[in-house]
Amino acid sequence: MIRPAKAGDERGLRRIWAECFGDPEAYVDFFFQNAFEPEKTLVCEEGGAPCAMLFLLDCSVWIGGREVPAAYLYAAATLPAYRSRGIMGRMIGHAADYVRSCGYGGIVLVPAEPGLFDYYGRFGFQTCFYDVLEELVSGGEPSGAAGPSADPADFSALEQMRRTVLKECGGMMWNGRQFDYALREHLFTGGRIFQTQEGYALYHCAGDVCSVDEMIALPGREQALKRALCSAVPVSRFRIVHPCGEGWEARPRGMLLDFNHILANPRTPAGHPYIGLTLG
């Protein structure tokens, strides 16, 4: 039986999360305490306990000059003993019916591995969102310990920068409370936020490598932001994810189940629609 989550399901959902994803318990606690909404969570129940789950988080899609409310499909998983029975396909169908009933324009997801693009394509999802992975070697002397972190008072400024850039190229947007959660999740997992007047970078450091999960620069400020980041963070190698403007090789990243013909004009002069700030 597929149904919305209800009181008493959390223990079973945590079991699925632990078996399927193996995340630290502290991270799972963080999600359930800050982002879990039972009415937007679908559960498949067999034998009186959840055996599969998926979560729907509010977002929006800006493509072709219009912003459309959508849902982000997150942490879809089935216990190993129940796989290969078509459960997740049925759950995606139920999710689509629910999202349509809310008046939303589609469902966004990011396949966890390349092979899943074909899997989700069976259910009508289309590759829609792209990014660029740029690798740099820092040529300057680093200054500072690890770059500044933004405090919560800066989150609204970061959101406005992101909206300014994504309205040019298109993409998936977190709004308000969901944007705040995505940034807090980034910090909770050891990430840091580097911010200047040119834009911002969300990054993690490991050894001599800085992995930038998302770099958002205001138009014409991209190189200035990269130079500032390379100067501030004391590593020699940078792997930077950012929107794909003209001249960059686009990397497929996210998919859309399109209810309202959002994809009628998916590409803009500023590049491909972008997705970068995701969860997990």
Side-chain angles (χ1 to χ4, degrees), residues 78-249:
T78 304
L79 287 173
Y82 294 88
R83 292 175 186 169
S84 301
R85 301 185 188 182
I87 291 174
M88 188 53 63
R90 295 197 298 274
M91 291 187 70
I92 290 172
H94 280 256
D97 291 341
Y98 171 76
V99 171
R100 281 195 187 94
S101 73
C102 294
Y104 290 1
I107 299 176
V108 177
L109 61 79
V110 175
E113 54 188 55
L116 290 176
F117 280 87
D118 288 339
Y119 172 77
Y120 287 114
R122 300 177 201 167
F123 306 109
F125 284 87
Q126 303 172 67
T127 302
C128 173
F129 303 103
Y130 297 79
D131 65 17
V132 166
L133 175 61
E134 181 180 1
E135 301 202 26
L136 296 176
V137 176
S138 176
E141 290 296 323
S143 61
S149 285
D151 66 42
D154 295 318
F155 284 11
S156 60
L158 300 183
E159 182 180 5
Q160 186 55 50
M161 284 182 180
R162 195 172 196 273
R163 292 184 68 84
T164 297
V165 171
L166 265 62
K167 282 188 176 183
E168 289 294 319
C169 65
M172 191 278 282
M173 296 185 183
W174 298 116
N175 300 308
R177 184 173 69 88
Q178 298 292 0
F179 183 77
D180 179 85
Y181 175 75
L183 289 183
R184 290 192 296 117
E185 190 240 30
H186 171 76
L187 295 172
F188 182 82
T189 58
R192 297 184 69 85
I193 302 174
F194 178 78
Q195 181 182 7
T196 72
Q197 292 182 341
E198 281 74 33
Y200 68 84
L202 309 178
Y203 68 94
H204 292 79
C205 286
D208 199 37
V209 178
C210 174
S211 296
V212 180
D213 304 310
E214 172 169 275
M215 175 176 280
I216 293 292
L218 295 173
R221 308 286 184 84
E222 294 86 358
Q223 294 307 315
L225 180 58
K226 291 174 191 175
R227 286 194 297 269
L229 178 68
C230 289
S231 177
V233 181
V235 300
S236 63
R237 294 177 55 214
F238 292 81
R239 294 171 54 83
I240 301 173
V241 171
H242 59 74
C244 22
E246 291 297 321
W248 291 100
E249 182 178 351

